[in-house]
Amino acid sequence: AVVSTQSTGVRDPAKMEQVHDNLTVAQCDVFQREQIKPHVEKADVVMSCLGYGIQRGEPVPYFKQIAEVLSDTMMEAGKRRVFFMHSWFTNPESRGKCRGFFLRNFFIPYVLGPTLAGMRQCEEYLATTHDHLDYTVIQPAHLLSGPVTDKQFLYKDGDCCVPEASQDIDRADVARYMLSIINDEESFRKVRAIGTVE
């Protein structure tokens, strides 16, 4: 989604269940620069929270593709702040820290593998964008759909997981975290794994 106090560009408006007076939802092809450009131009912050179903085979290409489109469009529009929401364990070296034999040895590499590999390609691409983007890649644990909480956040930069945190996090809390660090320069150009604790 491209987020500002004015508009959000989405692939399917029917999936936007929550509404707000400061939010207008517009359908667009987020992979087409000309369709996304007017939304980026109005945005204070861009947030890409795209997700895809389980796929097999090669790395899922869409994460890097949207990063390329946003990078070019934001540079042209003079915009800098952008978030990408990925997942724990995009770096294969981090997967040994995963609790649970089945998750670590089967589900993550064989079921989630192509998705995580696609996210990793995006992260590697972002590292090459020089200094025109103040990006933060947020890597939450397993996503749940509960309400926002007041749980404490833990994070690790570049580590792709937070073993001390819960392996589950509510989407609303991920949004709460992203909003809390919009202006935090310490989070710029970082790949940051997050989790919550009671």
PDB file of all heavy atoms in Angstrom, residues 99-128:
ATOM      1  N   ARG A  99      12.857 -22.042  16.565  1.00  0.00           N
ATOM      2  CA  ARG A  99      12.440 -23.069  17.520  1.00  0.00           C
ATOM      3  C   ARG A  99      11.513 -24.043  16.799  1.00  0.00           C
ATOM      4  O   ARG A  99      10.623 -23.645  16.068  1.00  0.00           O
ATOM      5  CB  ARG A  99      11.716 -22.425  18.702  1.00  0.00           C
ATOM      6  CG  ARG A  99      12.602 -21.465  19.480  1.00  0.00           C
ATOM      7  CD  ARG A  99      11.931 -20.982  20.756  1.00  0.00           C
ATOM      8  NE  ARG A  99      10.786 -20.108  20.534  1.00  0.00           N
ATOM      9  CZ  ARG A  99      10.844 -18.786  20.564  1.00  0.00           C
ATOM     10  NH1 ARG A  99      11.993 -18.182  20.767  1.00  0.00           N
ATOM     11  NH2 ARG A  99       9.767 -18.062  20.390  1.00  0.00           N
ATOM     12  N   GLY A 100      11.727 -25.300  16.972  1.00  0.00           N
ATOM     13  CA  GLY A 100      10.857 -26.307  16.374  1.00  0.00           C
ATOM     14  C   GLY A 100      11.519 -27.023  15.213  1.00  0.00           C
ATOM     15  O   GLY A 100      11.845 -26.409  14.199  1.00  0.00           O
ATOM     16  N   PHE A 101      11.724 -28.313  15.367  1.00  0.00           N
ATOM     17  CA  PHE A 101      12.409 -29.124  14.359  1.00  0.00           C
ATOM     18  C   PHE A 101      11.681 -29.092  13.022  1.00  0.00           C
ATOM     19  O   PHE A 101      12.293 -28.890  11.974  1.00  0.00           O
ATOM     20  CB  PHE A 101      12.527 -30.571  14.854  1.00  0.00           C
ATOM     21  CG  PHE A 101      13.207 -31.482  13.881  1.00  0.00           C
ATOM     22  CD1 PHE A 101      14.585 -31.592  13.852  1.00  0.00           C
ATOM     23  CD2 PHE A 101      12.461 -32.240  12.975  1.00  0.00           C
ATOM     24  CE1 PHE A 101      15.217 -32.431  12.944  1.00  0.00           C
ATOM     25  CE2 PHE A 101      13.079 -33.076  12.069  1.00  0.00           C
ATOM     26  CZ  PHE A 101      14.461 -33.170  12.058  1.00  0.00           C
ATOM     27  N   PHE A 102      10.349 -29.269  13.037  1.00  0.00           N
ATOM     28  CA  PHE A 102       9.579 -29.317  11.795  1.00  0.00           C
ATOM     29  C   PHE A 102       9.633 -27.969  11.069  1.00  0.00           C
ATOM     30  O   PHE A 102       9.860 -27.911   9.853  1.00  0.00           O
ATOM     31  CB  PHE A 102       8.127 -29.709  12.077  1.00  0.00           C
ATOM     32  CG  PHE A 102       7.264 -29.702  10.845  1.00  0.00           C
ATOM     33  CD1 PHE A 102       7.321 -30.741   9.928  1.00  0.00           C
ATOM     34  CD2 PHE A 102       6.412 -28.643  10.587  1.00  0.00           C
ATOM     35  CE1 PHE A 102       6.540 -30.733   8.777  1.00  0.00           C
ATOM     36  CE2 PHE A 102       5.622 -28.623   9.446  1.00  0.00           C
ATOM     37  CZ  PHE A 102       5.690 -29.668   8.542  1.00  0.00           C
ATOM     38  N   LEU A 103       9.430 -26.888  11.812  1.00  0.00           N
ATOM     39  CA  LEU A 103       9.492 -25.566  11.194  1.00  0.00           C
ATOM     40  C   LEU A 103      10.853 -25.313  10.568  1.00  0.00           C
ATOM     41  O   LEU A 103      10.957 -24.866   9.424  1.00  0.00           O
ATOM     42  CB  LEU A 103       9.225 -24.484  12.247  1.00  0.00           C
ATOM     43  CG  LEU A 103       7.780 -24.220  12.642  1.00  0.00           C
ATOM     44  CD1 LEU A 103       7.732 -23.201  13.770  1.00  0.00           C
ATOM     45  CD2 LEU A 103       6.977 -23.717  11.463  1.00  0.00           C
ATOM     46  N   ARG A 104      11.900 -25.602  11.324  1.00  0.00           N
ATOM     47  CA  ARG A 104      13.264 -25.288  10.899  1.00  0.00           C
ATOM     48  C   ARG A 104      13.702 -26.117   9.706  1.00  0.00           C
ATOM     49  O   ARG A 104      14.351 -25.612   8.791  1.00  0.00           O
ATOM     50  CB  ARG A 104      14.225 -25.507  12.083  1.00  0.00           C
ATOM     51  CG  ARG A 104      15.663 -25.166  11.798  1.00  0.00           C
ATOM     52  CD  ARG A 104      16.524 -25.256  13.053  1.00  0.00           C
ATOM     53  NE  ARG A 104      16.485 -26.554  13.692  1.00  0.00           N
ATOM     54  CZ  ARG A 104      15.897 -26.822  14.856  1.00  0.00           C
ATOM     55  NH1 ARG A 104      15.285 -25.850  15.529  1.00  0.00           N
ATOM     56  NH2 ARG A 104      15.915 -28.030  15.369  1.00  0.00           N
ATOM     57  N   ASN A 105      13.344 -27.399   9.690  1.00  0.00           N
ATOM     58  CA  ASN A 105      13.890 -28.313   8.693  1.00  0.00           C
ATOM     59  C   ASN A 105      12.975 -28.626   7.518  1.00  0.00           C
ATOM     60  O   ASN A 105      13.455 -29.131   6.499  1.00  0.00           O
ATOM     61  CB  ASN A 105      14.302 -29.623   9.376  1.00  0.00           C
ATOM     62  CG  ASN A 105      15.452 -29.404  10.338  1.00  0.00           C
ATOM     63  OD1 ASN A 105      16.574 -29.132   9.923  1.00  0.00           O
ATOM     64  ND2 ASN A 105      15.171 -29.483  11.630  1.00  0.00           N
ATOM     65  N   PHE A 106      11.686 -28.321   7.649  1.00  0.00           N
ATOM     66  CA  PHE A 106      10.757 -28.656   6.562  1.00  0.00           C
ATOM     67  C   PHE A 106       9.916 -27.459   6.118  1.00  0.00           C
ATOM     68  O   PHE A 106       9.969 -27.066   4.959  1.00  0.00           O
ATOM     69  CB  PHE A 106       9.852 -29.827   6.967  1.00  0.00           C
ATOM     70  CG  PHE A 106      10.611 -31.097   7.196  1.00  0.00           C
ATOM     71  CD1 PHE A 106      10.951 -31.494   8.475  1.00  0.00           C
ATOM     72  CD2 PHE A 106      11.018 -31.883   6.126  1.00  0.00           C
ATOM     73  CE1 PHE A 106      11.684 -32.653   8.686  1.00  0.00           C
ATOM     74  CE2 PHE A 106      11.754 -33.034   6.319  1.00  0.00           C
ATOM     75  CZ  PHE A 106      12.087 -33.424   7.609  1.00  0.00           C
ATOM     76  N   PHE A 107       9.143 -26.894   7.052  1.00  0.00           N
ATOM     77  CA  PHE A 107       8.182 -25.869   6.652  1.00  0.00           C
ATOM     78  C   PHE A 107       8.875 -24.627   6.097  1.00  0.00           C
ATOM     79  O   PHE A 107       8.510 -24.121   5.028  1.00  0.00           O
ATOM     80  CB  PHE A 107       7.282 -25.488   7.832  1.00  0.00           C
ATOM     81  CG  PHE A 107       6.128 -24.625   7.432  1.00  0.00           C
ATOM     82  CD1 PHE A 107       5.029 -25.174   6.794  1.00  0.00           C
ATOM     83  CD2 PHE A 107       6.143 -23.261   7.671  1.00  0.00           C
ATOM     84  CE1 PHE A 107       3.960 -24.382   6.402  1.00  0.00           C
ATOM     85  CE2 PHE A 107       5.082 -22.458   7.292  1.00  0.00           C
ATOM     86  CZ  PHE A 107       3.987 -23.022   6.659  1.00  0.00           C
ATOM     87  N   ILE A 108       9.869 -24.124   6.807  1.00  0.00           N
ATOM     88  CA  ILE A 108      10.534 -22.906   6.343  1.00  0.00           C
ATOM     89  C   ILE A 108      11.273 -23.130   5.028  1.00  0.00           C
ATOM     90  O   ILE A 108      11.057 -22.392   4.061  1.00  0.00           O
ATOM     91  CB  ILE A 108      11.442 -22.312   7.438  1.00  0.00           C
ATOM     92  CG1 ILE A 108      10.566 -21.723   8.550  1.00  0.00           C
ATOM     93  CG2 ILE A 108      12.377 -21.255   6.873  1.00  0.00           C
ATOM     94  CD1 ILE A 108      11.325 -21.218   9.751  1.00  0.00           C
ATOM     95  N   PRO A 109      12.129 -24.125   4.918  1.00  0.00           N
ATOM     96  CA  PRO A 109      12.865 -24.251   3.642  1.00  0.00           C
ATOM     97  C   PRO A 109      12.013 -24.709   2.463  1.00  0.00           C
ATOM     98  O   PRO A 109      12.210 -24.238   1.338  1.00  0.00           O
ATOM     99  CB  PRO A 109      13.971 -25.260   3.952  1.00  0.00           C
ATOM    100  CG  PRO A 109      13.516 -25.993   5.152  1.00  0.00           C
ATOM    101  CD  PRO A 109      12.635 -25.062   5.926  1.00  0.00           C
ATOM    102  N   TYR A 110      11.054 -25.602   2.690  1.00  0.00           N
ATOM    103  CA  TYR A 110      10.344 -26.201   1.560  1.00  0.00           C
ATOM    104  C   TYR A 110       9.003 -25.557   1.244  1.00  0.00           C
ATOM    105  O   TYR A 110       8.557 -25.583   0.099  1.00  0.00           O
ATOM    106  CB  TYR A 110      10.169 -27.701   1.786  1.00  0.00           C
ATOM    107  CG  TYR A 110      11.498 -28.411   1.856  1.00  0.00           C
ATOM    108  CD1 TYR A 110      11.958 -28.952   3.046  1.00  0.00           C
ATOM    109  CD2 TYR A 110      12.316 -28.502   0.733  1.00  0.00           C
ATOM    110  CE1 TYR A 110      13.197 -29.588   3.117  1.00  0.00           C
ATOM    111  CE2 TYR A 110      13.557 -29.125   0.792  1.00  0.00           C
ATOM    112  CZ  TYR A 110      13.986 -29.660   1.982  1.00  0.00           C
ATOM    113  OH  TYR A 110      15.212 -30.268   2.050  1.00  0.00           O
ATOM    114  N   VAL A 111       8.336 -24.994   2.243  1.00  0.00           N
ATOM    115  CA  VAL A 111       7.034 -24.370   1.996  1.00  0.00           C
ATOM    116  C   VAL A 111       7.189 -22.858   1.819  1.00  0.00           C
ATOM    117  O   VAL A 111       6.697 -22.283   0.853  1.00  0.00           O
ATOM    118  CB  VAL A 111       6.044 -24.698   3.134  1.00  0.00           C
ATOM    119  CG1 VAL A 111       4.706 -23.999   2.896  1.00  0.00           C
ATOM    120  CG2 VAL A 111       5.841 -26.206   3.244  1.00  0.00           C
ATOM    121  N   LEU A 112       7.902 -22.235   2.740  1.00  0.00           N
ATOM    122  CA  LEU A 112       8.088 -20.784   2.678  1.00  0.00           C
ATOM    123  C   LEU A 112       9.327 -20.369   1.890  1.00  0.00           C
ATOM    124  O   LEU A 112       9.517 -19.190   1.609  1.00  0.00           O
ATOM    125  CB  LEU A 112       8.180 -20.204   4.097  1.00  0.00           C
ATOM    126  CG  LEU A 112       6.947 -20.339   4.972  1.00  0.00           C
ATOM    127  CD1 LEU A 112       7.200 -19.694   6.322  1.00  0.00           C
ATOM    128  CD2 LEU A 112       5.722 -19.734   4.309  1.00  0.00           C
ATOM    129  N   GLY A 113      10.161 -21.319   1.533  1.00  0.00           N
ATOM    130  CA  GLY A 113      11.442 -21.022   0.910  1.00  0.00           C
ATOM    131  C   GLY A 113      11.399 -20.045  -0.253  1.00  0.00           C
ATOM    132  O   GLY A 113      12.132 -19.044  -0.256  1.00  0.00           O
ATOM    133  N   PRO A 114      10.561 -20.276  -1.288  1.00  0.00           N
ATOM    134  CA  PRO A 114      10.532 -19.342  -2.420  1.00  0.00           C
ATOM    135  C   PRO A 114      10.094 -17.927  -2.036  1.00  0.00           C
ATOM    136  O   PRO A 114      10.614 -16.946  -2.570  1.00  0.00           O
ATOM    137  CB  PRO A 114       9.524 -19.987  -3.383  1.00  0.00           C
ATOM    138  CG  PRO A 114       9.584 -21.446  -3.050  1.00  0.00           C
ATOM    139  CD  PRO A 114       9.770 -21.496  -1.560  1.00  0.00           C
ATOM    140  N   THR A 115       9.159 -17.816  -1.086  1.00  0.00           N
ATOM    141  CA  THR A 115       8.724 -16.495  -0.630  1.00  0.00           C
ATOM    142  C   THR A 115       9.850 -15.793   0.114  1.00  0.00           C
ATOM    143  O   THR A 115      10.154 -14.621  -0.141  1.00  0.00           O
ATOM    144  CB  THR A 115       7.479 -16.615   0.272  1.00  0.00           C
ATOM    145  OG1 THR A 115       6.422 -17.194  -0.492  1.00  0.00           O
ATOM    146  CG2 THR A 115       7.042 -15.258   0.784  1.00  0.00           C
ATOM    147  N   LEU A 116      10.491 -16.497   1.035  1.00  0.00           N
ATOM    148  CA  LEU A 116      11.585 -15.900   1.800  1.00  0.00           C
ATOM    149  C   LEU A 116      12.754 -15.530   0.893  1.00  0.00           C
ATOM    150  O   LEU A 116      13.399 -14.494   1.083  1.00  0.00           O
ATOM    151  CB  LEU A 116      12.044 -16.865   2.903  1.00  0.00           C
ATOM    152  CG  LEU A 116      11.003 -17.170   3.984  1.00  0.00           C
ATOM    153  CD1 LEU A 116      11.522 -18.250   4.926  1.00  0.00           C
ATOM    154  CD2 LEU A 116      10.621 -15.916   4.760  1.00  0.00           C
ATOM    155  N   ALA A 117      13.025 -16.365  -0.119  1.00  0.00           N
ATOM    156  CA  ALA A 117      14.106 -16.064  -1.058  1.00  0.00           C
ATOM    157  C   ALA A 117      13.795 -14.806  -1.863  1.00  0.00           C
ATOM    158  O   ALA A 117      14.687 -13.995  -2.137  1.00  0.00           O
ATOM    159  CB  ALA A 117      14.348 -17.254  -1.988  1.00  0.00           C
ATOM    160  N   GLY A 118      12.537 -14.630  -2.243  1.00  0.00           N
ATOM    161  CA  GLY A 118      12.135 -13.419  -2.963  1.00  0.00           C
ATOM    162  C   GLY A 118      12.283 -12.178  -2.092  1.00  0.00           C
ATOM    163  O   GLY A 118      12.729 -11.125  -2.563  1.00  0.00           O
ATOM    164  N   MET A 119      11.913 -12.301  -0.825  1.00  0.00           N
ATOM    165  CA  MET A 119      12.088 -11.184   0.105  1.00  0.00           C
ATOM    166  C   MET A 119      13.570 -10.847   0.254  1.00  0.00           C
ATOM    167  O   MET A 119      13.954  -9.670   0.286  1.00  0.00           O
ATOM    168  CB  MET A 119      11.487 -11.531   1.465  1.00  0.00           C
ATOM    169  CG  MET A 119       9.983 -11.624   1.471  1.00  0.00           C
ATOM    170  SD  MET A 119       9.380 -12.189   3.088  1.00  0.00           S
ATOM    171  CE  MET A 119       7.611 -12.034   2.867  1.00  0.00           C
ATOM    172  N   ARG A 120      14.398 -11.878   0.331  1.00  0.00           N
ATOM    173  CA  ARG A 120      15.841 -11.652   0.473  1.00  0.00           C
ATOM    174  C   ARG A 120      16.409 -10.927  -0.750  1.00  0.00           C
ATOM    175  O   ARG A 120      17.258 -10.040  -0.613  1.00  0.00           O
ATOM    176  CB  ARG A 120      16.555 -12.996   0.669  1.00  0.00           C
ATOM    177  CG  ARG A 120      18.028 -12.872   0.962  1.00  0.00           C
ATOM    178  CD  ARG A 120      18.275 -12.204   2.279  1.00  0.00           C
ATOM    179  NE  ARG A 120      19.687 -12.207   2.637  1.00  0.00           N
ATOM    180  CZ  ARG A 120      20.184 -11.573   3.679  1.00  0.00           C
ATOM    181  NH1 ARG A 120      19.402 -10.890   4.473  1.00  0.00           N
ATOM    182  NH2 ARG A 120      21.470 -11.635   3.949  1.00  0.00           N
ATOM    183  N   GLN A 121      15.941 -11.277  -1.923  1.00  0.00           N
ATOM    184  CA  GLN A 121      16.390 -10.572  -3.132  1.00  0.00           C
ATOM    185  C   GLN A 121      16.033  -9.085  -3.055  1.00  0.00           C
ATOM    186  O   GLN A 121      16.819  -8.232  -3.462  1.00  0.00           O
ATOM    187  CB  GLN A 121      15.767 -11.203  -4.378  1.00  0.00           C
ATOM    188  CG  GLN A 121      16.343 -12.548  -4.735  1.00  0.00           C
ATOM    189  CD  GLN A 121      15.703 -13.152  -5.970  1.00  0.00           C
ATOM    190  OE1 GLN A 121      14.632 -12.722  -6.408  1.00  0.00           O
ATOM    191  NE2 GLN A 121      16.359 -14.146  -6.541  1.00  0.00           N
ATOM    192  N   CYS A 122      14.850  -8.789  -2.539  1.00  0.00           N
ATOM    193  CA  CYS A 122      14.436  -7.399  -2.367  1.00  0.00           C
ATOM    194  C   CYS A 122      15.371  -6.688  -1.402  1.00  0.00           C
ATOM    195  O   CYS A 122      15.816  -5.556  -1.661  1.00  0.00           O
ATOM    196  CB  CYS A 122      12.993  -7.355  -1.856  1.00  0.00           C
ATOM    197  SG  CYS A 122      12.432  -5.697  -1.398  1.00  0.00           S
ATOM    198  N   GLU A 123      15.687  -7.328  -0.281  1.00  0.00           N
ATOM    199  CA  GLU A 123      16.566  -6.714   0.722  1.00  0.00           C
ATOM    200  C   GLU A 123      17.953  -6.437   0.141  1.00  0.00           C
ATOM    201  O   GLU A 123      18.556  -5.391   0.404  1.00  0.00           O
ATOM    202  CB  GLU A 123      16.647  -7.628   1.943  1.00  0.00           C
ATOM    203  CG  GLU A 123      15.329  -7.746   2.679  1.00  0.00           C
ATOM    204  CD  GLU A 123      15.210  -8.954   3.588  1.00  0.00           C
ATOM    205  OE1 GLU A 123      16.232  -9.655   3.805  1.00  0.00           O
ATOM    206  OE2 GLU A 123      14.100  -9.211   4.090  1.00  0.00           O
ATOM    207  N   GLU A 124      18.450  -7.367  -0.650  1.00  0.00           N
ATOM    208  CA  GLU A 124      19.754  -7.178  -1.281  1.00  0.00           C
ATOM    209  C   GLU A 124      19.701  -6.044  -2.305  1.00  0.00           C
ATOM    210  O   GLU A 124      20.652  -5.257  -2.422  1.00  0.00           O
ATOM    211  CB  GLU A 124      20.219  -8.487  -1.922  1.00  0.00           C
ATOM    212  CG  GLU A 124      20.555  -9.550  -0.886  1.00  0.00           C
ATOM    213  CD  GLU A 124      20.781 -10.928  -1.480  1.00  0.00           C
ATOM    214  OE1 GLU A 124      20.399 -11.157  -2.653  1.00  0.00           O
ATOM    215  OE2 GLU A 124      21.330 -11.790  -0.761  1.00  0.00           O
ATOM    216  N   TYR A 125      18.587  -5.940  -3.028  1.00  0.00           N
ATOM    217  CA  TYR A 125      18.433  -4.837  -3.973  1.00  0.00           C
ATOM    218  C   TYR A 125      18.418  -3.498  -3.241  1.00  0.00           C
ATOM    219  O   TYR A 125      19.078  -2.527  -3.661  1.00  0.00           O
ATOM    220  CB  TYR A 125      17.144  -5.004  -4.792  1.00  0.00           C
ATOM    221  CG  TYR A 125      16.760  -3.738  -5.510  1.00  0.00           C
ATOM    222  CD1 TYR A 125      17.447  -3.332  -6.646  1.00  0.00           C
ATOM    223  CD2 TYR A 125      15.737  -2.922  -5.020  1.00  0.00           C
ATOM    224  CE1 TYR A 125      17.125  -2.142  -7.288  1.00  0.00           C
ATOM    225  CE2 TYR A 125      15.416  -1.732  -5.661  1.00  0.00           C
ATOM    226  CZ  TYR A 125      16.114  -1.359  -6.790  1.00  0.00           C
ATOM    227  OH  TYR A 125      15.797  -0.177  -7.418  1.00  0.00           O
ATOM    228  N   LEU A 126      17.658  -3.411  -2.149  1.00  0.00           N
ATOM    229  CA  LEU A 126      17.550  -2.148  -1.425  1.00  0.00           C
ATOM    230  C   LEU A 126      18.909  -1.649  -0.950  1.00  0.00           C
ATOM    231  O   LEU A 126      19.157  -0.438  -0.919  1.00  0.00           O
ATOM    232  CB  LEU A 126      16.597  -2.300  -0.237  1.00  0.00           C
ATOM    233  CG  LEU A 126      15.116  -2.416  -0.603  1.00  0.00           C
ATOM    234  CD1 LEU A 126      14.305  -2.836   0.607  1.00  0.00           C
ATOM    235  CD2 LEU A 126      14.596  -1.107  -1.190  1.00  0.00           C
ATOM    236  N   ALA A 127      19.797  -2.562  -0.613  1.00  0.00           N
ATOM    237  CA  ALA A 127      21.134  -2.166  -0.164  1.00  0.00           C
ATOM    238  C   ALA A 127      21.923  -1.475  -1.276  1.00  0.00           C
ATOM    239  O   ALA A 127      22.927  -0.805  -0.996  1.00  0.00           O
ATOM    240  CB  ALA A 127      21.895  -3.385   0.345  1.00  0.00           C
ATOM    241  N   THR A 128      21.474  -1.601  -2.527  1.00  0.00           N
ATOM    242  CA  THR A 128      22.172  -0.976  -3.660  1.00  0.00           C
ATOM    243  C   THR A 128      21.549   0.351  -4.076  1.00  0.00           C
ATOM    244  O   THR A 128      21.987   0.948  -5.055  1.00  0.00           O
ATOM    245  CB  THR A 128      22.171  -1.917  -4.892  1.00  0.00           C
ATOM    246  OG1 THR A 128      20.835  -1.979  -5.445  1.00  0.00           O
ATOM    247  CG2 THR A 128      22.657  -3.305  -4.537  1.00  0.00           C
TER     248      THR A 128
END
